[in-house]
């Protein structure tokens, strides 16, 4: 089994910054993609940022230039640095990871429990 634990959420004033962390643990041979998604009240879950194993990154249009995803593969941890936050960034942020869990190639698409980020004006 694989567990993803997010941390770093909270309340911040508009224009401020927050850094989220996501630590993966359990039976992990390797992690392919790690990413962050968010879901605001009454809205569908949306992509924030993803980081495939090749080191590339991809961002949702609404966060480009403000958010940065990074990974520490030795620690099986992903980070999301969020700058210039806006009230519309308020949401529950979920960590996601595609994990190789066996030598035979079995993968698991794991989700964290979510962490709330509230941006007030």
């Amino acid at each position: 089994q694989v567990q993803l634990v997010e941390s770093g959420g909270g309340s911040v004033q508009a224009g401020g910054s927050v850094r989220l962390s996501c630590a993966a643990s359990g039976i992990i041979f390797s992690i392919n993609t790690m990413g962050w998604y968010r879901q605001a009240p009454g809205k569908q879950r949306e992509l924030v940022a993803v980081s495939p194993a090749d080191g590339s990154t991809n961002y949702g249009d609404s966060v480009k230039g403000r958010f940065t995803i990074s990974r520490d593969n030795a620690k099986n941890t992903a980070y999301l640095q969020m700058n210039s936050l806006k009230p519309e960034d308020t949401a529950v942020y979920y960590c996601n990871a595609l994990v190789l869990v066996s030598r035979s190639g079995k993968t698991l698409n794991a989700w964290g429990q979510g962490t709330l980020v509230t941006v007030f004006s």
Side-chain angles (χ1 to χ4, degrees), residues 5-63:
V5 179
E6 300 111 332
S7 60
S11 296
V12 62
Q13 192 169 17
S17 299
V18 170
R19 188 190 194 210
L20 304 182
S21 299
C22 170
S25 62
I27 302 174
I28 298 172
F29 281 76
S30 66
I31 300 179
N32 188 344
T33 299
M34 293 193 80
W36 292 92
Y37 293 76
R38 68 185 183 186
Q39 187 166 18
K43 294 188 177 181
Q44 292 187 332
R45 190 172 297 189
E46 65 174 356
L47 168 72
V48 175
V50 291
S51 175
D54 64 3
S56 63
T57 56
N58 189 30
Y59 296 92
D61 288 340
S62 62
V63 307

